Every structure is written in structure tokens, then in C-alpha cells.
Amino acid sequence: MVIINATDYTDMSRKAANLVAAQIVIKPACVLGLATGSSPEGMYAQLVARHQAGDLDFSHVTTVNLDEYRGLAPSHEQSYRYFMDHHLFHHVNIDPARTFLPNGLAADPAECCRAYDALLATLGPIDLQVLGIGGNGHIGFNEPGTAFEPKTHCVDLADTTIEANQRFFERREDVPRQAYTMGIQPILQARKIVLLASGSGKAQALRDALYDKVTPAVPASVLQLHSDVTVIADTAARALL
Ligand code: F6R
């Protein structure tokens, strides 16, 4: 595991964009595993700027996102499809048909999960997986629990996650209670993992994940078992390391 020290959010975002851009340059037809939320937002802005400067070509890239809220349409401003469209996909030359997220509107959750796992199997190992970390140690929406869930599943979001994500919604009642998330297996099978952490709210989770025991109670701790993890964390997030 490599820990890259970033001074602040902007520095973290620039350094993360460097790694993603390098991946695309080295392997133009790569599969990127992507996250939403505050952590990667600045990185996406950097990648868009590099594309617009003529330095980054997404035309052969495939993306597969970690998660999606159950029940939100792609047009819903808080859906992760909407986030990805507006922060990245609509601003670069990626083929929209090669951008994948779980279907938040699927009628049958079990079928939705099966279909996502089948897709992941078809795409093969993710070349580079970008992760944020929840204040409770979650990755994707793999919430703290008693076992690591290998496959895509529909989760009841933890109260702490609903609270954390409330900032994006008008009212707490509007935050979806369930989400689809990629399981731990495709994350661990990714060739390379880049974990982003910014701010003091991530300090404890980051410490527990990197330096304490591997346990499903801290889902990100499973990353200790992967051989190529780069953590890019700013000063506040590294406070307890
Ligand atoms: C989102 C995701 C989540 C977030 C995590 C941190 O696609 O997978 O695990 O990465 O909740 O969220 P932020 O970055 O908003 O602090």
C-alpha cells in the first residue's frame, strides 16, 4: 500500500487525476471503476479539464460505477447516473453506451444484482478502481456488517450514511433508504485501487481501515488484502495515521 500525502482537497484531486489519466494513456481501452460523492468530484473536474485541453482521450474507455440509489431515475438530480453524467460523461468523449451503473429503477432487485455481476464478469477485471471511504468505513455501499458481501447486492443504508448523504437532499425523508452496490469481490479483483480521503471526518475511518484488523465491521479494511492500493489523503484525513 502506498500513501500519497496531499495538502488539501485540490491537491488530492490533482494527484488522483494524474493516476487516472496515466491509466488511460497507458491503456486507452481500460475499464475504470468509478465512485460518486464529494471525494472524486474535484478529480472529475481535473479530468474534464485535461480532456478539454486535448490531453486525454476517453473514446475507448469503459466505466463501471460502484453504486446507485434504489428507486431514483437517471434524471433525478441525486441519482448517481445524473452525478456521473454531469461531472464527467457529458464533458468528455466517452461512448455513453460504455458507461455502466446499476439500474436504480429495476423492478426486481435480485435480477438487477445478477445483471450487474454478469456485466462485471463480461468486462473482466477493472483496471483501476477509484474509491471514497464513508465516515463509517464503507466502500461503495458495502456497509459495516458481520460478513464481506462478495457480489452486487441491494443494501439498507446505515443511519450514519443516510445522515451523511442528507446534505445532498432537501429533507432527510428524501434520502433513499436502499442502494445497489458492487460487492467486495470485483473491488478486490481490480488491478489497481485508488482510495481518496479528504477532511477530518474521514480520519478515524481511514486509520481503522489501514492500520487496524481486517473486519467487515470496517469494510474498507479489506483493502489491506490487495497488493496495489494507493491512498491519496489530505492532511486532515491523515491526522490519525
Ligand atoms: C459513492 C460511494 C461511497 C462514497 C463514500 C464517501 O459512489 O461509493 O462509498 O465514496 O460515501 O462519500 P463522500 O466522498 O461524499 O464523502
Side-chain angles (χ1 to χ4, degrees):
M1 182 173 300
V2 174
I3 301 179
I4 295 182
N5 295 344
T7 48
D8 55 18
Y9 181 80
T10 307
D11 191 36
M12 177 193 77
S13 303
R14 194 173 51 80
K15 286 173 167 150
N18 286 345
L19 294 185
V20 175
Q23 173 67 67
I24 297 171
V25 169
I26 290 165
K27 185 178 176 188
C30 61
V31 178
L32 299 179
L34 298 179
T36 57
S38 305
S39 305
E41 207 177 307
M43 178 194 80
Y44 292 137
Q46 292 270 341
L47 291 172
V48 168
R50 288 169 202 208
H51 169 72
Q52 288 173 349
D55 291 333
L56 205 51
D57 176 15
F58 284 80
S59 62
H60 300 290
V61 171
T62 297
T63 64
V64 62
N65 264 77
L66 285 163
D67 39 23
E68 178 60 285
Y69 285 120
R70 180 173 179 215
L72 295 196
S75 57
H76 190 291
E77 285 186 15
Q78 298 307 334
S79 76
Y80 287 168
R81 163 57 75 180
Y82 187 97
F83 177 102
M84 290 309 302
D85 282 348
H86 287 80
H87 288 286
L88 183 66
F89 301 153
H90 284 177
H91 307 292
V92 298
N93 64 334
I94 197 162
D95 176 356
R98 277 214 294 270
T99 65
F100 300 101
L101 287 92
N103 175 10
L105 291 184
D108 177 355
E111 178 48 33
C112 173
C113 296
R114 261 196 306 275
Y116 212 58
D117 283 332
L119 168 76
L120 288 163
T122 311
L123 294 178
I126 291 164
D127 289 296
L128 187 155
Q129 175 67 56
V130 176
L131 296 174
I133 181 169
N136 64 0
H138 72 211
I139 46 175
F141 275 137
N142 290 278
E143 297 284 29
T146 50
F148 291 113
E149 292 255 13
K151 303 282 187 197
T152 301
H153 51 289
C154 183
V155 286
D156 294 330
L157 297 177
D159 280 345
T160 48
T161 301
I162 292 171
E163 233 154 73
N165 291 2
Q166 193 183 330
R167 67 192 194 277
F168 299 113
F169 293 82
E170 263 177 38
R171 299 167 312 165
R172 194 180 200 275
E173 307 87 86
D174 297 335
V175 187
R177 295 307 195 247
Q178 288 188 314
Y180 294 107
T181 183
M182 205 188 267
I184 293 297
Q185 192 176 57
I187 296 174
L188 284 186
Q189 284 172 343
R191 294 193 164 100
K192 187 172 186 55
I193 295 175
V194 175
L195 175 74
L196 307 181
S198 171
S200 56
K202 304 297 173 70
Q204 186 67 49
L206 197 61
R207 197 210 74 84
D208 293 348
L210 304 189
Y211 293 131
D212 216 328
K213 59 183 179 301
V214 176
T215 166
V218 182
S221 65
V222 80
L223 300 176
Q224 292 178 37
L225 305 178
H226 193 280
S227 61
D228 191 348
V229 178
T230 301
V231 178
I232 310 180
D234 67 12
T235 308
R238 278 185 286 108
L240 301 178
L241 298 192

